[in-house]
Structure formats: C-alpha cells, structure tokens
Amino acid sequence: MTASRSDSMGGGGRVTGGHITNVLVANRGEIARRVFATCRRMGLGTVAVYSEADAAAPHVAEADAAVLLPGNTPGETYLRGELIIDAALATGADAIHPGYGFLSENADFARAVLAAGLVWIGPPVEAIEQMGSKVASKKMMDAAGVPVLAELDPAEVTEAQLPVLIKASAGGGGRGMRVVRSLGELEPQIEAARREAQSAFGDPTVFCERYLETGRHIEVQVMADTHGTIWAVGERECSIQRRHQKVIEEAPSPLVERTDGMRARLFEAARLAAGAIGYTGAGTVEFLADERGDFFFLEMNTRLQVEHPVTECTTGLDLVRLQLEVASGDALPTEPPAMHGHSIEVRLYAEDPAHDWQPQSGTVHRIDIPLVATEFDLLDRPGVRLDTGVVDGSIVGVHYDPMLAKVISYAETRSEAARLLATALHRAKIHGLVTNRDLLVRVLRHPAFLAGDTDTAFFDTHGLDTLAAPLVSAADEALSIVAAALADAAANRTAARVGGGLPSGWRNLPSQSTHKLFESRTSGTHDVGYRYTRGVVSVDGYDGLELVEAATDRVVLAVPGERGPVRRHFAVARYGELVCVDSPLGPVSVRRLPRFSDPADQVATGSLLAPMPGSVIRLGAEVGSRVEQGQPILWLEAMKMEHTIAAPAAGVLSAVNVTVGQQVDVGAVLAVVDPAEGNETQESK
C-alpha cells in the first residue's frame, strides 16, 4: 500500500461541512481513471484499489494512494465491499465512488459505506434497492405511470410468448442475458444465465420478458439533487449492440430528433421515474422504443453509465463533478443546459467479431489514436476524446471485461462526428491484440448508420460477416506484407555485425530470391520473394514496384499505376514474431513464420483448441462417446462470460485433457474428436 496523501495533510480526509476532500474509487480501469481526472481538476485526493492482476494498471499509478485487494477474480477483489471500505478508512478517504459494474448498484455496499461514516457518491440506498430488482422496479414504474414491458414468469412462458429475453435482475452489461426462441431451450438457458449473473454480480436472480426482435434502445440521463431538482439531461441512443451489450452510443438520438414530441414524453417519463423513488445523483432511465416513437421502460441504472461522455460533450457538463457536488449537498441550477452538436462513442474491445465475438487477452504493445484532442475531459469543438484503461504495455487478462477504450467524437453535425471517429479509428495504431476496430469503422461508414437507421438488429440486418471484414483489401494487405518483409530485411542489415552495408538478400546467383513467410489471420500464408540487383530491389509478382525508402520501422514504395507511380508510406513495428503494418490503406497484423516448421508443433486433426485463456466450468461429454458436429463438449468462462466449445465434426471423443475448474491458456488442446469417417474405416478393417 502506498502512502496516502492524507498523511501529509495531518491525517485529514474526514468530511467537514459535508464537503468531500479525498475519494476512493471502488473500481478499476477506464472508469477509475475517469473519476480520478475530475477529482484532480477539483483539487481532491484520490485512492485506488487493485487486484493482483491489476498491480501495473494505469489507474493504480495515477492515484495518490493504492491498496491491494488480494486475488484476481471479481469475487476475490472488486466485489469485496468490506475490503474496499477498510482501504478507504486506512488511507483517509472520506468518500467512495463506485464507478459502474461491480458494486455500483449494490444496496448493501452503499449502506455499509454510510455506516462507516463515509460519503456514498451515489443515490439513496432505498433508491438502489427499489431499482436493484428489475422485477420490482417495473411494477413500481407501472404504478408511477411509466410505460413498461410486462415481466414473464419463466415457469409459465408459453409457445405463443416466444421469443423471450432472460435478464439478470441485479445488473446489466449483457451479463446473464439470453434470447430464447423455443421452450426446449428455456431451462438450460436460464441456468446458464444464472451462473453468469452470479459470477458478474453475486446474485443469480433472473427473469423473462417479451423480446422485441427490432427496436431502439433509448436512454435518458437524469441528475437530481437533495433540494428537489430533477434534471433530464438529454437522451442517448444505444441501439447497436452485440450480445445485448452496447457497442456504439450517441447523443442525441436520431429517432428522437425526427419524431415530433418524443423528447418531451421521454424526459417526462424519466423525471417521473426518478421522482417516484426519491432519486438523487446521476442515473439513467432506459427505454425500448419502436419506429413510431412509442417506448417502454426497461430499467433504471442507479449509477453513472459507460456512455456518459456523449452527454457531457453535447451539454458541456462534467457529470462526475456534478455527482461529487450533489453528494456534498450542493444544489443544481433550476434547468439543465440545452444540448448542442452531436457526439458518438464507440467501445473498443479486445475481441474478434468474426469468430463469435471471442474475447482476446495478452499484451497491448501499442495504442495510439490520432486526432485525440483530450482524455477524460469535455470537448467544446470538433475533435476526438479518449477514455481508456490501458496504455502501451498493458496486459489484458481473463478476469475482467475486455474493453480497451472508449473513443468519442464531437462535431456540429452527426455526419461529421461519424466521419471524424471513423478516420481516427481507421488510422489508429493498435498493436498486440485482435480488436473490433474494423467492425466499428465499417458501421460508422455504413449508409444505414449514416441515415440514422440503427435498431438493435443492425448486425443481423446488415450481415456481421460483412461488417466484421478487414478494412484493408486483399491486394493492399499483400502490399503491406511486402513492406513488412523489406523492413525486416532492413532490420537484419542494421543488426548484422559483418557485411551490414551490403544489400539484404544479396546472392552469388542473382536469379535466386530471398523468401520471407508471413501468416495472416484472414488470408493465410504469404510468401514474399525479393532480390537486390545493383542496389535495386525486385519483388516477385510486383513488376515496376520501386523501393523508395526502407528502414527498420518505415518503408516507402512507389506503386505503379495507369497514370504513373503512387507513393505509399508504411509504418512497421515488430514485437517478436508479430509484425504490425499501419498505413492509410488500412491496418495489417501478421506473424513472421520460420522457414522450417517443427513437427512437434503440429496439432492432431479434430483437436479442440482453447480460443482464449479461461476456466473450464462444465464438461458436456465423456471420453469414448459419439458426438455430433456442433455438439457442446465443454464450457469456458472468460471475462465474466460463458463460451461454448463444440465438436468440429461428428465422431468419437477420444480425449479430454482438462477438468472442471482448470485454468487453460489460449491454444491449449482441450479435447480431441476423431472424425466419424476415420472411425468407420478403422472399424471396417
């Protein structure tokens, strides 16, 4: 535990006159850094808590004091309210900000914070309790005159009510959510949802409601003080989602903008909801709307939302500052500021949308977003804001959500905001992990998105395979890999102790090319052959290509064309066998392959490999049993979500190499299925 700043303040830190002086954030990553940023601007002290896995995380280094929560999993660390309160008392903090997720909507934790004599930067405990159960909250909102979708008892769901959505009662973020389209799936999906809810929130309670295949997810930011003022601070649209978790959010909503009278009705419903429970502080009332502008209450999040920056950018308000001021007893002005301009936020995840959104883990070698005007602060002119929990060298583990950053644009018009954000992402240098960056750019540039046609079925409507395709074309990827090979050659020359001044790839027999092999995730193996003849490089298959410049980290090529050569600049970075090439053509990441493969590295046909690090939570079949293609063999838990590992083909399960509870690394051979054809051949002999 590092020394607290309150030590140098004479052991202060207790609340004096209701004002806060030192804030502990009971969270991690991006939201902890976000709250710390406002605290610094207000002259307040800061305290971090961290798990063992987060010891080197940026939020730990930025705080005035930091306290270790022993362990790694949320249940061992960020969900241990008593340890967090002890950390606050030990460091002289006088207030606790919960962030979002973890204990942010846990009434028992809020009550314990208050009982310890600390300021709770959140709503009253009673409001958390009333909204904490999504089942009870809907009944309360219905009584208050807010339109709702009726809750369904899982035991009484009929065929006519399908499809239904299973939801966790104690939290959001897509955890514990399942869409069920047949009665036979209902019970197993409820059990899976309960396990996820227990892991993420410490509460396995789930419920069902009618699932609307398409709709608009609209939410209203509310802010209320202890003096009776309730603000509706603009709406946000968060319709583009994956697995019921938001991916792109914006303010204002395109649907609300073009629907007469909808904003006034939304704001009135949100104020009714907040007033019905005596709410204070920042909160969000979420609705599901149709294209006609009718809407239904989904839930109220009694905390700050992940997507709060788009409201900040369109109102000029620092919502964290307002949280701190309201918690100190300050009064809000009578009316909130009007909205202006347009803001769009994307959540940059370490995940692979093209392969069932598989979360990724490992080292973030580099994250560099161009056009960024500010971090964790307001934008008052067109530009990009970055809120991130990682920096160069950060490790993304398996215990927490794989979000790397929130990238937010602001401009006077929606089209400019989308263009700014797409350009920043396209040109970003994100090295080390597969991310959803290409998907985000394609969505931001999609005609349907630009037209404001953004319902919750966006990925299904427009094809996830198309939206998740690489930004770079096949031809431009190949050219980028040529640049990688020539930069590698330059690096070899630089590192050579003897003959470093000689051209790379020099041969006594000039007809022989030097070959370098690279593997792309999307296009397979690339064999780049090149040779130097009297100082001029020739690349196999690229007649007329001219090498203008080649350094270890930069290559300039003159590419022949119908109207003459065009110069292309490529930035090249290497991290072991990983090679990352960035250019205006699009980002490319490949792995340098050895010239000769090791037979020991070969994997048997039918092997089920771990797509990510995680923990084995269930086994679905026994060794020796016959399995069908697509049949679940085992389940992994990673980043608070369950992932099914299925048989790649019909056959016999010949090996299971793991047990329940075992931690596995990415690429580990979990099980082996001998294909049916091979077994039949063997049996017939």
Side-chain angles (χ1 to χ4, degrees):
M1 182 175 71
T2 61
S4 167
R5 188 162 74 178
S6 64
D7 294 334
S8 64
M9 298 168 61
R14 299 275 72 80
V15 178
T16 303
H19 289 285
I20 295 167
T21 63
N22 199 5
V23 179
L24 180 146
V25 178
N27 219 294
R28 62 180 300 277
E30 165 267 327
I31 185 56
R33 298 185 76 196
R34 166 68 189 92
V35 176
F36 289 161
T38 287
C39 288
R40 286 193 296 272
R41 290 192 287 267
M42 297 177 68
L44 303 178
T46 56
V47 179
V49 290
Y50 64 98
S51 68
E52 292 169 6
D54 278 341
H59 80 277
V60 179
E62 290 176 355
D64 299 323
V67 178
L68 172 66
L69 305 175
N72 286 313
T73 67
E76 295 170 326
T77 56
Y78 299 105
L79 291 175
R80 292 286 301 278
E82 73 281 8
L83 297 183
I84 292 169
I85 291 171
D86 286 345
L89 297 174
T91 55
D94 49 42
I96 290 182
H97 191 300
Y100 48 70
F102 295 133
L103 294 170
S104 62
E105 295 178 282
N106 186 303
D108 290 337
F109 177 59
R111 186 179 290 109
V113 169
L114 295 170
L118 303 169
V119 175
W120 168 248
I121 305 173
V125 172
E126 295 76 13
I128 300 174
E129 288 177 328
Q130 290 169 317
M131 293 294 104
S133 167
K134 293 183 175 62
V135 175
S137 66
K138 285 194 171 188
K139 295 176 180 176
M140 185 176 300
M141 293 299 102
D142 191 21
V146 180
V148 302
L149 276 174
E151 178 221 344
L152 302 174
D153 184 341
E156 298 178 2
V157 172
T158 66
E159 194 78 35
Q161 292 171 318
L162 297 174
V164 297
L165 180 64
I166 304 169
K167 299 178 71 173
S169 182
R175 307 294 190 253
M177 281 194 181
R178 294 287 196 282
V179 177
V180 177
R181 303 181 187 281
S182 71
L183 289 180
E185 297 177 5
L186 186 59
E187 189 56 38
Q189 293 289 8
I190 285 176
E191 290 304 314
R194 284 172 176 158
R195 287 192 298 271
E196 275 191 1
Q198 175 65 41
S199 175
F201 312 116
D203 183 347
T205 306
V206 299
F207 68 98
C208 295
E209 66 185 18
R210 183 164 59 95
Y211 179 63
L212 303 182
E213 295 283 1
T214 61
R216 299 292 192 108
H217 190 119
I218 313 292
E219 58 190 35
V220 179
Q221 175 73 55
V222 296
M223 180 67 70
D225 63 20
T226 56
H227 305 276
T229 299
I230 301 175
W231 282 359
V233 198
E235 86 282 345
R236 300 183 285 257
E237 180 159 343
C238 314
S239 299
I240 297 183
Q241 304 178 5
R242 61 102 165 97
R243 292 179 170 175
H244 316 293
Q245 190 170 35
K246 302 160 189 173
V247 176
I248 299 179
E249 303 107 342
E250 58 182 310
S253 159
L255 175 66
V256 176
E257 285 278 274
R258 64 178 180 238
T259 306
D260 290 342
M262 185 177 179
R263 180 170 289 128
R265 291 186 291 115
L266 273 171
F267 284 12
E268 177 61 22
R271 285 190 291 261
L272 275 175
I277 59 173
Y279 199 82
T280 61
T284 302
V285 187
E286 301 198 356
F287 300 94
L288 189 64
D290 60 26
E291 292 296 332
R292 298 174 301 180
D294 294 330
F295 54 85
F296 305 93
F297 173 85
L298 286 177
E299 61 190 18
M300 183 172 184
N301 291 301
T302 53
R303 54 174 168 80
L304 198 65
Q305 290 280 89
V306 178
E307 57 271 23
H308 74 273
V310 296
T311 296
E312 293 186 323
C313 289
T314 51
T315 61
L317 295 170
D318 181 334
L319 294 178
V320 175
R321 173 184 285 271
L322 289 177
Q323 284 187 294
L324 292 164
E325 290 175 345
V326 166
S328 296
D330 295 348
L332 295 170
T334 305
E335 296 292 334
M339 289 187 293
H340 54 83
H342 202 96
S343 182
I344 304 174
E345 172 183 298
V346 297
R347 302 189 190 186
L348 181 66
Y349 282 102
E351 66 182 10
D352 187 353
H355 293 85
D356 197 30
W357 307 97
Q358 287 177 359
Q360 309 291 301
S361 63
T363 303
V364 180
H365 295 298
R366 188 175 186 188
I367 179 166
D368 179 15
I369 314 289
L371 306 179
V372 170
T374 188
E375 296 187 21
F376 305 110
D377 203 356
L378 307 180
L379 284 170
D380 58 2
R381 64 187 65 184
V384 173
R385 163 179 167 174
L386 179 66
D387 287 16
T388 179
V390 301
V391 295
D392 294 357
S394 290
I395 305 296
V396 176
V398 301
H399 300 293
Y400 317 113
D401 187 273
M403 187 174 75
L404 300 179
K406 302 180 322 197
V407 190
I408 308 106
S409 66
Y410 170 75
E412 291 302 315
T413 65
R414 185 173 183 270
S415 59
E416 184 181 357
R419 183 172 63 250
L420 265 174
L421 191 50
T423 299
L425 290 167
H426 189 131
R427 300 191 177 189
K429 294 178 180 178
I430 307 168
H431 299 167
L433 293 175
V434 176
T435 72
N436 64 339
R437 179 253 301 274
D438 292 12
L439 171 89
L440 298 173
V441 173
R442 287 193 178 278
V443 172
L444 290 168
R445 291 174 173 168
H446 197 283
F449 177 85
L450 295 174
D453 298 332
T454 54
D455 62 33
T456 53
F458 191 91
F459 292 139
D460 293 334
T461 302
H462 301 289
L464 179 60
D465 54 346
T466 300
L467 294 170
L471 288 173
V472 67
S473 69
D476 290 341
E477 181 192 42
L479 188 64
S480 298
I481 295 172
V482 168
L486 298 177
D488 189 60
N492 290 340
R493 288 198 306 276
T494 301
R497 295 186 178 182
V498 178
L502 295 176
S504 174
W506 183 86
R507 294 289 184 273
N508 286 328
L509 299 174
S511 61
Q512 297 296 313
S513 295
T514 296
H515 288 265
K516 295 184 184 294
L517 299 177
F518 298 88
E519 183 179 51
S520 163
R521 292 176 51 258
T522 56
S523 58
T525 301
H526 290 249
D527 183 346
V528 180
Y530 64 93
R531 62 187 181 277
Y532 280 86
T533 305
R534 298 182 181 181
V536 177
V537 70
S538 298
V539 180
D540 296 351
Y542 286 87
D543 293 340
L545 183 69
E546 179 187 351
L547 175 61
V548 178
E549 178 186 340
T552 59
D553 59 355
R554 172 181 165 85
V555 171
V556 181
L557 299 173
V559 183
E562 292 182 2
R563 299 186 178 183
V566 176
R567 286 197 176 190
R568 297 290 186 184
H569 297 251
F570 302 87
V572 182
R574 285 175 299 281
Y575 312 92
E577 64 182 18
L578 176 66
V579 184
C580 300
V581 184
D582 294 289
S583 78
L585 298 175
V588 172
S589 292
V590 292
R591 293 197 173 273
R592 172 78 189 275
L593 298 177
R595 293 182 63 186
F596 306 102
S597 61
D598 186 343
D601 294 334
Q602 302 300 312
V603 177
T605 301
S607 295
L608 281 70
L609 306 182
M612 69 209 74
S615 176
V616 179
I617 57 173
R618 290 176 61 202
L619 297 177
E622 297 180 351
V623 173
S625 59
R626 295 195 64 82
V627 297
E628 299 300 323
Q629 182 176 6
Q631 178 179 333
I633 303 300
L634 55 88
W635 287 261
L636 287 179
E637 183 181 58
M639 298 175 179
K640 299 189 288 185
M641 300 285 281
E642 284 192 12
H643 306 273
T644 304
I645 310 300
V652 174
L653 185 61
S654 61
V656 175
N657 302 328
V658 294
T659 57
V660 172
Q662 181 177 336
Q663 292 285 330
V664 297
D665 292 326
V666 63
V669 179
L670 306 174
V672 179
V673 175
D674 287 337
E677 295 80 6
N679 289 313
E680 292 168 358
T681 302
Q682 186 68 31
E683 292 167 3
S684 64
K685 289 183 178 179

